[in-house]
């Protein structure tokens, strides 16, 4: 176990550099250790599944080793087994491994939703979130479609660990190159044939591909079917299912023209170039011997054990901190912590006091008894290590500290805190930290990072409800989602002269069990009115005058609909928090999980805030999502998060909402809070096929004949009832620490963000229509000053010598507000554009400080002039550019030229 503990320390050092990853993976020499594969609690018990996971990793390791030129292999893997599966002598208790920080999730089978995929929310080269598999896939039921499980694991591992993207394109299967259609693939040497597929009732029939005479491309039913026998060795990110494919595309054989995610996201780099630039690659050299087989640890989740370690030092009298801590602690004990959890309570000043040994929560009596042990008097100094050591002692009386949790809250400085870092590492406990106020110990974040805990920060601004949000976020990292406490609302206001705080809270059908309305105040009890959706006023609030709070537990399942509240008070701060649990164990609740891309933000590097909104596996689309980021100064910045596939958002309509944060105002801690409302439910199915997954192979050519695979169960648009779902959620996104922020006035060092969704279409035989999402003045905020559009017949010249390429006249192209849709039509000039010419286009945005964005993704058009038709066609749909959109982005003279050109082409078409 010594190597495990030393490798955890290596992980800590890596985390402290600022990269945020909950993963426990470390690269030890050439072997990956600490990989966690977790079986979802809703997967039916099947011991064979454990062996199938082992077989997949064992098969994957030598494949990875050869694919990376003898550089990497899988050394050790932990398999997390659900608590509700039978216990066995060889199952041990986890340490820091949880479902939340698992690298691979094995989720229940769902028809049409069984494709292996990896969540990726970052840029090229940034680590992904999680790999998703199903039992059917692991059992080998998808071999023909995806290939061997070990090979698929390596494909997904490249997404997860190195941030590369797919080299196929489900939506755009063909593109024009020199006037001829090509299948999107990497490398171009992969051979195959085109066939049109018609699929119905579980089987497919082949036909002849139809050629679109206007575009020069095949119609959408056409598929590229590869030969089963190939000699080509690349690429794993196109089709690892081809037997001969054993490597990644390199700079030499990479298909730069193919319109796929790898080219779009990685600036035309091959997957091997991205992998070669990774930190993993830089710190290793090829091995001279073959690696050993992977080793496996079988870990079974046990009962949750939590010890609260709460500061009661003298400084806790400031800003009503002690009382606010008790309000938040009460919410945690009364509501957040799950039934059957063992909970202990330690308080500390310069010494530690055990307020309660571990007690299992089996009833409201247990919750009340623990709540009564919260501290009432603040005095003394601050010794954090004393509190932690006391918590370890409390836990060890009943259980080993491995996998136990400590919630550490402090507002004080303590320069001796690093003295117990080694004990913390040795304990195997997870430490969640709550930094309260401006002076809390700087080393707190290190405790959370080295143990995989949640780090949060709460200011003294009581109306922001930061302390309650921090404790509300501490539901189990292992329990079934149906058991977790879900925050529906968190709001506060400072009221004067009998002012009212009015509003509604939506209880949707996915929640309603154990619903709790909690009101807090700072001086005297406000007037409290609450009505359920039928208009019935709710009585029965339990009032705790000592802690200045009142709460109402709604019996059974709370009514679905809008609950209306009105609170009235004078000269004090009032807050409202509403929490609930899933209404049923079988209906997944809508959940919001949020985080920042890094633990530390160093000015002028922007931060990115993410909010992932789902119901089970299904993304929730078109929600209204807002992030509120509060600095150590108490200043708040509000961001609307977007799922538009532009700016900070990696993928459109995947249920992950993102935005850049650049509004630094001081060094120190910043807290993050998310509000989410409304949304479109995708009826238990994904709205779009998941990106970043292994390609579903429609069939193979064997011995000159096409052999088709069973069709994918696609989400047919007519089957998916996209219905509006009314819901409200709040979620803590934890905290981050900013550094290097200059004193005001803060200089503008933020350029516009990179344009990542540039698309080009040819209209007629000379007009090019561009669309993209507008960047801002500062990344994706505000308005850029101008665009620079350049074109070239060489894709590499455009990328590498952008400033030397032919510039398009954009004099009258005024950038719109960030995240607006931009449309621009132009005719290429000063460049040969003839039949069969491939033309490449890219954009940079420039802000008022003359800072330029990175070059955009490169869009392509290929001039295809069809043979003259034998008979004239009066059909308007064959006329190039019949519905030209005249808008402010097209100069007036340019419009006349375009219309004149269009009339000439219309004449030719009708001739």
């Amino acid at each position: 176990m010594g190597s495990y503990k030393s490798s955890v320390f290596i992980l800590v050092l890596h985390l402290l550099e600022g990269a945020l990853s909950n993963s426990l993976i470390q690269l030890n020499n050439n072997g990956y250790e600490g990989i966690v594969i977790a079986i979802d609690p809703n997967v039916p018990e099947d011991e064979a599944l454990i062996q199938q996971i082992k077989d997949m990793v064992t098969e994957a390791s030598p494949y990875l080793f050869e694919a990376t030129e003898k550089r990497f292999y899988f050394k050790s893997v932990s398999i997390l087994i659900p608590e509700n599966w039978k216990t066995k002598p060889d199952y041990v208790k986890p340490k820091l491994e949880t479902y939340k920080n698992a690298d691979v999730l094995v989720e229940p089978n769902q028809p049409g939703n069984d494709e292996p995929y990896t969540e990726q929310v970052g840029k090229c080269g940034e680590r992904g979130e999680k790999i998703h598999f199903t039992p059917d896939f692991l059992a080998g039921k998808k071999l023909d479609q995806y290939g061997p499980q070990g090979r698929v694991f390596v494909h997904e591992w490249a997404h997860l660990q190195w941030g590369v993207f797919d080299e196929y394109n489900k939506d755009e299967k063909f593109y024009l190159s020199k006037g001829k259609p090509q299948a999107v693939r990497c490398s171009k040497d992969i051979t195959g044939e085109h066939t049109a597929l018609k699929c119905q009732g579980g089987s497919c029939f082949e036909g002849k591909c139809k050629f679109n005479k206007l575009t020069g491309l095949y119609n959408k039913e056409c598929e590229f079917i590869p030969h089963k026998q190939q000699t080509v060795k690349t690429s794993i990110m196109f089709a690892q299912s081809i037997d001969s494919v054993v490597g990644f595309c390199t700079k030499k054989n990479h298909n730069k023209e193919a319109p796929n995610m790898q080219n779009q996201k990685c600036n035309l780099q091959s997957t091997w170039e991205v992998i070669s630039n990774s930190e993993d690659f830089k710190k290793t050299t090829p091995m001279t011997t073959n690696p050993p087989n992977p080793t496996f640890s079988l870990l079974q989740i046990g009962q949750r054990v939590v010890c609260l370690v709460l500061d009661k030092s003298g400084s806790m009298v400031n800003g009503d901190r002690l009382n606010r801590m008790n309000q938040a602690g009460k919410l945690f004990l009364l509501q957040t912590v799950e039934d059957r959890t063992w909970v202990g309570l330690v308080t500390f000043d310069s010494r530690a006091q055990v307020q309660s040994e571990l007690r299992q929560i089996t009833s409201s009596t247990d919750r009340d008894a623990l709540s009564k042990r919260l501290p009432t008097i603040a005095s003394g100094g601050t010794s954090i290590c004393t509190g932690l050591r006391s918590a370890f002692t409390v836990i060890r009386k009943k259980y080993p500290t491995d996998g136990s949790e400590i919630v550490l809250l402090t507002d004080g400085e303590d320069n001796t805190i690093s003295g117990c870092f080694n004990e913390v590492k040795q304990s195997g406990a997870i430490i969640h930290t709550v930094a309260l106020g401006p002076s809390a110990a700087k080393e707190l974040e290190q405790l959370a990072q080295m143990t995989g805990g949640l780090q949060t920060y709460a200011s003294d601004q009581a109306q922001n409800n930061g302390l309650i949000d921090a404790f509300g976020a501490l539901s189990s990292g292992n329990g079934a989602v149906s058991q977790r406490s879900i925050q529906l609302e968190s709001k506060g206001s400072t009221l004067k002269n009998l002012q009212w705080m009015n509003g509604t809270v939506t209880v949707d059908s996915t929640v309603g069990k154990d619903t709790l309305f909690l009101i807090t105040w700072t001086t005297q009890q406000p007037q409290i009115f609450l009505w359920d959706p039928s208009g019935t006023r709710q009585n029965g609030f339990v009032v705790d005058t000592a802690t200045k709070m009142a709460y109402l537990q709604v019996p059974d399942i709370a009514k679905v609909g809008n609950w209306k509240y009105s609170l009235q008070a004078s000269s004090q701060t009032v807050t409202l928090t509403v929490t609930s649990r899933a209404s049923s164990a079988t209906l997944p609740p809508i959940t919001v999980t949020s985080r920042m891309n890094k633990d530390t933000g160093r000015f002028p590097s922007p931060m990115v805030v993410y909010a992932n909104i789902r119901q089970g596996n299904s993304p929730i689309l078109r929600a209204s999502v807002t992030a509120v980021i509060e600095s150590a100064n108490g200043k708040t910045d509000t961001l609307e998060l977007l799922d538009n596939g532009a700016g900070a958002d990696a993928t459109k309509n995947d249920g992950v909402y993102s935005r850049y944060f650049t509004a630094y105002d001081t060094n120190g801690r910043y807290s993050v809070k998310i509000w989410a409302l409304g949304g479109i439910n995708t009826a238990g199915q994904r709205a779009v096929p998941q990106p970043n997954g292994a390609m579903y192979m429609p069939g193979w050519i064997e011995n000159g004949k096409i052999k088709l695979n069973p069709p994918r169960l696609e989400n047919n648009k007519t089957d998916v009832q996209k219905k509006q779902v009314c819901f409200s959620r709040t979620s803590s996104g934890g905290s981050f620490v900013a550094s290097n922020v200059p004193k005001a006035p803060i200089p503008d060092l933020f350029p516009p963000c990179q344009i990542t969704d540039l698309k080009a279409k040819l209209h007629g035989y000379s007009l090019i229509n561009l669309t993209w999402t507008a960047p801002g003045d500062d990344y994706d905020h505000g308005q850029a000053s101008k665009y620079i559009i350049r074109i070239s017949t060489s894709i590499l010249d455009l990328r590498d010598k952008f400033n030397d390429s032919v510039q398009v006249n954009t004099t009258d192209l005024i950038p719109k507000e960030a995240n607006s849709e931009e449309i621009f039509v132009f005719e290429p000039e000063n460049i040969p554009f003839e039949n069969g010419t491939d033309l490449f286009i890219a954009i940079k945005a420039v802000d008022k400080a003359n800072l330029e964005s990175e070059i955009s993704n490169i869009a392509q058009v290929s001039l295809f002039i069809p043979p003259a038709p034998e008979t004239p066609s009066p059909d308007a749909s064959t006329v190039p550019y019949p519905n030209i959109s005249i808008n402010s982005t097209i100069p007036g003279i340019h419009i006349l030229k375009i219309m004149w050109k269009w009339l000439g082409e219309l004449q030719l078409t009708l001739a």
Side-chain angles (χ1 to χ4, degrees), residues 231-252:
T231 55
V232 67
K233 294 189 173 181
T234 59
S235 169
I236 287 168
M237 299 316 289
F238 171 67
Q240 73 294 321
S241 52
I242 295 172
D243 291 343
S244 65
V245 167
V246 290
F248 296 95
C249 264
T250 64
K251 189 174 184 178
K252 199 179 282 185

Side-chain angles (χ1 to χ4, degrees), residues 631-635 663-670 737-739 741-742 746:
S631 74
N633 282 346
K635 176 177 168 272
Y664 295 101
D665 73 312
T666 184
N667 290 314
R669 294 181 172 106
Y670 288 67
V737 179
S739 64
V741 181
I746 291 172

Side-chain angles (χ1 to χ4, degrees), residues 443-510:
E443 298 84 355
L444 275 185
E445 280 75 16
Q446 294 180 44
L447 286 168
Q449 289 160 12
M450 72 173 68
T451 63
L454 178 67
Q455 62 181 56
T456 54
Y457 157 67
S459 73
D460 284 331
Q461 306 293 318
Q463 73 276 10
N464 292 338
N465 218 21
L467 258 187
I468 280 179
D469 292 339
F471 275 78
L474 294 170
S475 56
S476 170
N478 281 325
V481 70
S482 60
Q483 302 302 312
R484 282 184 210 153
S485 176
I486 294 168
Q487 202 163 281
L488 309 186
E489 183 59 286
S490 163
K491 210 166 191 178
S493 185
T494 300
L495 302 177
K496 299 171 186 173
N497 304 327
L498 294 175
Q499 274 184 312
W500 291 91
M501 182 170 113
N502 301 317
T504 58
V505 179
T506 303
V507 175
D508 59 275
S509 60
T510 71

Side-chain angles (χ1 to χ4, degrees), residues 4-5 34 170 255 266 292 300 344 414 465 480 545 580 615 678 680 815:
Y4 173 81
K5 292 196 168 113
K170 294 170 185 168
N255 182 2
C266 297
Q300 188 167 34
D414 178 357
N465 218 21
T545 49
S580 191
Q615 184 182 2
I680 298 287

Side-chain angles (χ1 to χ4, degrees), residues 281-295:
F281 195 91
K282 288 171 186 171
K283 61 187 181 191
T284 52
T285 53
M287 290 173 65
T288 53
T289 56
N290 285 336
N293 280 339
T295 59

Side-chain angles (χ1 to χ4, degrees), residues 152-430:
V152 175
F153 185 39
V154 172
H155 175 106
E156 301 307 334
W157 181 263
H159 284 307
L160 180 81
Q161 188 66 14
W162 302 310
V164 298
F165 292 86
D166 289 324
E167 292 167 337
Y168 61 91
N169 188 333
K170 294 170 185 168
D171 303 316
E172 220 176 313
K173 299 168 205 163
F174 299 92
Y175 66 101
L176 282 183
S177 179
K178 297 183 172 53
K180 293 183 179 175
Q182 290 280 351
V184 174
R185 65 201 192 280
C186 200
S187 71
K188 261 187 177 179
D189 296 333
I190 290 173
T191 61
E193 294 177 16
H194 311 129
T195 189
L197 290 188
K198 299 272 185 186
C199 298
Q200 207 172 8
S203 56
C204 291
F205 310 92
E206 56 173 300
K208 196 171 180 184
C209 283
K210 288 183 181 171
F211 193 72
N212 186 318
K213 290 180 181 175
L214 209 61
T215 64
L217 289 170
Y218 298 115
N219 286 348
K220 63 179 182 180
E221 293 84 11
C222 194
E223 294 275 2
F224 174 72
I225 310 287
H227 291 109
K228 187 74 174 166
Q229 299 302 317
Q230 306 262 354
T231 55
V232 67
K233 294 189 173 181
T234 59
S235 169
I236 287 168
M237 299 316 289
F238 171 67
Q240 73 294 321
S241 52
I242 295 172
D243 291 343
S244 65
V245 167
V246 290
F248 296 95
C249 264
T250 64
K251 189 174 184 178
K252 199 179 282 185
N253 60 20
H254 175 60
N255 182 2
K256 298 171 186 68
E257 294 180 4
N260 56 34
M261 288 277 276
Q262 175 63 22
N263 281 327
Q264 184 180 336
K265 298 278 189 187
C266 297
N267 199 18
L268 312 182
Q269 290 180 95
S270 68
T271 49
W272 187 245
E273 285 174 89
V274 176
I275 294 166
S276 302
N277 284 324
S278 69
E279 288 304 311
D280 290 357
F281 195 91
K282 288 171 186 171
K283 61 187 181 191
T284 52
T285 53
M287 290 173 65
T288 53
T289 56
N290 285 336
N293 280 339
T295 59
F296 298 91
S297 307
L298 304 181
L299 312 176
Q300 188 167 34
I301 303 299
Q303 288 176 331
R304 189 182 188 196
V305 178
V306 184
C307 189
L308 299 180
V309 179
L310 306 179
D311 188 345
K312 58 173 279 300
S313 62
S315 56
M316 288 292 288
V317 298
N318 300 332
D320 199 29
R321 290 175 194 161
L322 187 77
N323 198 58
R324 287 170 53 225
M325 176 182 78
N326 286 346
Q327 292 167 346
K330 257 199 153 172
L331 172 71
F332 179 79
L333 294 168
L334 292 174
Q335 176 73 0
T336 306
V337 73
E338 300 82 3
D339 279 343
R340 298 180 61 240
T341 304
W342 289 86
V343 180
L345 176 57
V346 169
T347 56
F348 69 92
D349 39 52
S350 45
R351 295 180 302 117
Q353 306 84 28
V354 176
Q355 302 295 346
S356 173
E357 302 288 354
L358 286 184
R359 178 169 185 155
Q360 189 172 32
I361 302 227
T362 57
S363 67
S364 57
T365 309
D366 299 309
R367 295 179 183 273
D368 289 336
L370 283 158
S371 299
K372 288 190 172 84
R373 307 300 299 168
L374 291 164
T376 54
I377 297 169
S379 65
T382 306
S383 176
I384 290 167
C385 286
T386 306
L388 291 174
R389 289 183 185 118
S390 182
F392 293 150
T393 304
V394 165
I395 293 165
R396 284 180 183 130
K397 285 182 183 174
K398 192 119 193 121
Y399 288 106
T401 47
D402 287 345
S404 63
E405 295 169 74
I406 288 173
V407 178
L408 170 65
L409 178 146
T410 184
D411 74 334
E413 295 180 21
D414 178 357
N415 56 15
T416 65
I417 193 169
S418 58
C420 55
F421 276 8
N422 271 334
E423 290 163 77
V424 167
K425 287 191 286 254
Q426 298 292 330
S427 74
I430 297 164

